[in-house]
Amino acid sequence: FLGRLTLQKGIDVLIQAIKIINEKVCSSRIHFYIAGSGPLLPIIEKLEMITNNVKYIGFVENGRKLQALEECHILVMPSFYESFGLVWLEAQACGLPVIASNIPPLNDLIDMKGGDLFEVGNPTALAQKIMKYYVLWRDHFDDFVKASLAARKNAEKYDIRKISYQLAKFFLTLRKGIS
């Protein structure tokens, strides 16, 4: 998780999902890294103290963001609402599959070959998706790599050069229509 530690970002849903996973699986097998800052930081710090698989890494500056993402296998985005949510794109550019709430616009932006959606606000559904990727990574690594490559390919659709070209083309078309 990389984002503001607020209810809007669904950090409470992630905490509940972590507890569900830790009840079912040996907690030393799946590690959770939480990055960010915000008013719910004390809850994260408490969770870190009572579990052995949650690590709070603090606020991550833009210069360290790629390094932090490259140390992970998936990104979880349990938000209740988003505008564009740039972190999913940054994660997929690093080849991380993204598990996100099934909300607009994320449900249109994240390719299901390189990520997954879950019912917003449902920690059990989130826990199931996390476990799905854990099992994929552990038992079917080739398929996990395919998901990682699909995530990277999805991110390439949003390359700034491609977007800039499309915008320039759009504005030229508008200009011709006004003349």
Side-chain angles (χ1 to χ4, degrees), residues 2 8 18 22 35 40 68-69 88-89 120 132 135 143 146:
L2 178 61
Q8 180 248 325
I18 291 170
N22 284 350
L40 299 181
L69 289 169
W88 73 267
L89 181 57
V120 65
K132 171 186 165 183
V135 169
D143 291 332
K146 287 177 187 173

Side-chain angles (χ1 to χ4, degrees), residues 5-63:
L5 303 178
T6 64
L7 290 175
Q8 180 248 325
K9 294 294 184 178
I11 193 69
D12 57 323
V13 176
L14 177 58
I15 290 168
Q16 292 172 48
I18 291 170
K19 289 177 181 177
I20 291 167
I21 290 168
N22 284 350
E23 288 172 5
K24 294 182 178 185
V25 179
C26 178
S27 63
S28 64
R29 294 191 181 165
I30 300 176
H31 298 272
F32 296 92
Y33 297 94
I34 298 174
S37 61
L40 299 181
L41 175 57
I43 297 169
I44 302 304
E45 291 171 332
K46 181 180 178 186
L47 182 66
E48 184 181 32
M49 287 188 324
I50 64 172
T51 63
N52 63 355
N53 66 333
V54 174
K55 173 98 173 114
Y56 173 65
I57 59 174
F59 178 79
V60 176
E61 299 286 339
N62 280 335

Side-chain angles (χ1 to χ4, degrees), residues 18 28-29 36 42 49 54 71 84 92 95 98 103 107 131 142 145 148 151 155 161-162 165 173 175:
I18 291 170
S28 64
R29 294 191 181 165
M49 287 188 324
V54 174
E71 293 175 13
F84 183 80
Q92 287 202 324
V98 173
I103 57 171
N107 51 11
M131 287 303 302
D142 289 347
V145 169
S148 179
R161 292 167 292 219
K162 290 178 183 176
Y165 176 76
T173 303
R175 185 175 175 201

